[in-house]
Amino acid sequence: MNKSSIVVLLLGLVFSGSAFSLSLGDNADLLVFGDISLGEQFGDRPDDDDGEGETPVVIHDGFGVNSLDMVLSYDISDRITFQAEAQLEVEGVSEVELDLERLLLDFQVSNLYNFQVGGFFTPIGYFNRALYSRSWLMYGIQRPELFEEELGGFVPTHTVGAQVYGNLPWGLQDGVNYAFSVGNGGGPDPLTRIYKQDEDDNVQLTWLFELPLRAEGIGAREFRLGLSGWTDHVKSLLLDEGDVGELDDDAEERFTIREHGFNPYLTLYRKHFNLLLEYVHIHHIDRSGNLGGEGDLDLTGYGAELSLNMMEGKMHPYVRYDKVEMPEEEGGPYFSLRGVEGSDDELTRVELADIERIMVGVAYDINFNLRVKAEYAHNNDGVRASDQFVVQMAFGF
């Protein structure tokens, strides 16, 4: 089984409850991912204007143990599967944070429709559902900024709620995959994940349609063309840059926005090369009437990766391009909000910078369980060092 097959298996896990390769018994299976890196940053930051941007978890100077991701699946019955995924990720220099990525019950009814309830990856895009933080499955080292929940929180990668999914046999060879979900909306700042409903009672709706074309006529091992998106209703606190405010029932400067997101994508895995393309457009509409010129704003992001398959599929040179264009006013009234460390109800507003990065590298599969990578990245825009070089060992079993 090659890496693309594992990607298909994980997509099946998201949309079905497939079994894993490491068995814990007749009904339980486990999959584990992890990565270790050694990096160096150098050069001045390309954007001399004021702005903030945290360094991605896998990009830092010196050695680093980055994350450990564990996925558990248990078949309660022939049609009901319990799934749980937890990730231990290093924050900063010495802190380890536990993230609950998934915790759900999956009810497999038929090929046409099935259900999930609990916490799950939103049915948005391809990277979010298939790769996310599992470095062993990716050729590149740096994760796309659009889907890095701890850095920007631009795309809602997780939700707690209910989902219906299946395949519509619309006269095509592989039909059309679809998914709809309803869940908890965004938190008071874009980095806060809502595990249980809060007093704002926000609701998020997501949708996805995907053509999983694996026709031999196009010579592809996998070809997916998808359209996905979401709508959300978010309430938070209106702040000027550098201010600190407290979320309470009597706050006068509260605002409400309607968020609409659109995410088309394309993936193509062929014998000699692979292509991944994603586009994200997010539009905010002022519903409270007190945002002034910061009311209706747009964020746009792009991601593209071209890789080659050499040495019988063991070596993968690649080039990748990522870009995020922030809304005006350095991130707008919502994306620029951050929770104050040590406080549960205080927010501050920072200034965000645009991101533009090109990466070249190579990934080599030592064996089925171990992938070694080397990557050079140049930042054309943003507030990080202009150049970065990282080597990584990523494993999965």
Side-chain angles (χ1 to χ4, degrees), residues 73-324:
S73 176
Y74 182 83
D75 294 327
I76 297 176
S77 70
D78 292 340
R79 293 186 176 273
I80 302 176
T81 301
F82 168 76
Q83 297 171 12
E85 180 172 357
Q87 183 185 64
L88 291 168
E89 186 169 75
V90 176
E91 296 289 336
V93 177
S94 59
E95 296 182 3
V96 177
E97 181 177 294
L98 175 63
D99 283 337
L100 186 62
E101 305 291 356
R102 282 188 289 171
L103 182 66
L104 62 94
L105 287 173
D106 187 273
F107 300 87
Q108 300 113 50
V109 181
S110 68
N111 189 54
L112 183 62
Y113 61 93
N114 307 273
F115 304 94
Q116 290 180 348
V117 291
F120 48 85
F121 292 115
T122 53
I124 298 173
Y126 180 82
F127 183 91
N128 179 48
R129 296 175 299 128
L131 303 178
Y132 194 60
S133 60
R134 308 174 185 102
S135 297
W136 176 67
L137 293 174
M138 295 183 284
Y139 297 139
I141 293 179
Q142 300 193 50
R143 306 167 190 167
E145 202 87 13
L146 286 166
F147 301 96
E148 186 61 271
E149 189 176 51
E150 288 78 11
L151 296 182
F154 306 123
V155 174
T157 57
H158 301 73
T159 193
V160 176
Q163 178 175 206
V164 57
Y165 67 93
N167 182 271
L168 301 172
W170 282 352
L172 300 173
Q173 178 176 347
D174 296 302
V176 177
N177 291 335
Y178 76 91
F180 294 95
S181 75
V182 55
N184 295 341
D189 70 87
L191 304 189
T192 297
R193 190 187 305 177
I194 304 299
Y195 289 103
K196 57 184 180 180
Q197 191 57 272
D198 60 7
E199 64 274 10
D200 286 334
D201 198 29
N202 299 332
V203 175
Q204 177 190 101
L205 302 175
T206 63
W207 56 271
L208 177 142
F209 293 97
E210 178 183 81
L211 297 176
L213 302 178
R214 288 177 287 275
E216 296 181 359
I218 62 174
R221 292 179 294 165
E222 180 187 350
F223 176 38
R224 295 175 181 267
L225 177 64
L227 294 175
S228 61
W230 71 94
T231 183
D232 202 350
H233 190 253
V234 179
K235 299 178 182 179
S236 193
L237 188 62
L238 181 61
L239 297 172
D240 292 326
E241 182 187 338
D243 287 352
V244 175
E246 185 174 342
L247 287 165
D248 56 57
D249 295 336
D250 299 326
E252 296 180 359
E253 294 299 320
R254 297 293 294 267
F255 70 83
T256 302
I257 59 172
R258 170 63 69 180
E259 178 177 280
H260 298 291
F262 179 60
N263 179 196
Y265 60 93
L266 180 147
T267 70
L268 175 63
Y269 288 88
R270 292 180 62 105
K271 181 178 180 180
H272 298 295
F273 73 92
N274 316 297
L275 179 65
L276 304 179
L277 300 174
E278 292 219 31
Y279 169 80
V280 172
H281 182 84
I282 304 173
H283 181 61
H284 283 174
I285 302 173
D286 179 12
R287 291 301 191 194
S288 55
N290 63 346
L291 296 181
E294 295 183 307
D296 296 354
L297 295 176
D298 296 273
L299 179 145
T300 304
Y302 315 83
E305 180 180 285
L306 175 65
S307 58
L308 304 179
N309 303 317
M310 305 173 63
M311 298 179 61
E312 298 182 347
K314 292 184 177 181
M315 179 175 287
H316 309 278
Y318 63 88
V319 58
R320 199 175 95 206
Y321 176 78
D322 288 348
K323 184 175 179 63
V324 180

Side-chain angles (χ1 to χ4, degrees), residues 11-82:
L11 282 172
L13 181 67
V14 172
F15 283 157
S16 68
S18 302
F20 292 110
S21 58
L22 180 60
S23 177
L24 302 179
D26 294 337
N27 297 329
D29 298 278
L30 178 69
L31 195 62
V32 178
F33 302 94
D35 59 280
I36 303 167
S37 65
L38 172 62
E40 179 71 24
Q41 303 182 81
F42 50 94
D44 297 330
R45 68 184 196 176
D47 190 346
D48 293 329
D49 297 333
D50 292 337
E52 295 191 13
E54 297 183 37
T55 301
V57 64
V58 297
I59 306 301
H60 49 73
D61 296 329
F63 286 99
V65 176
N66 301 312
S67 63
L68 183 68
D69 191 271
M70 296 162 287
V71 186
L72 174 67
S73 176
Y74 182 83
D75 294 327
I76 297 176
S77 70
D78 292 340
R79 293 186 176 273
I80 302 176
T81 301
F82 168 76

Side-chain angles (χ1 to χ4, degrees), residues 329-341:
E329 304 297 334
E330 294 77 33
Y334 180 65
F335 284 132
S336 58
L337 292 178
R338 296 292 183 268
V340 176
E341 187 174 357

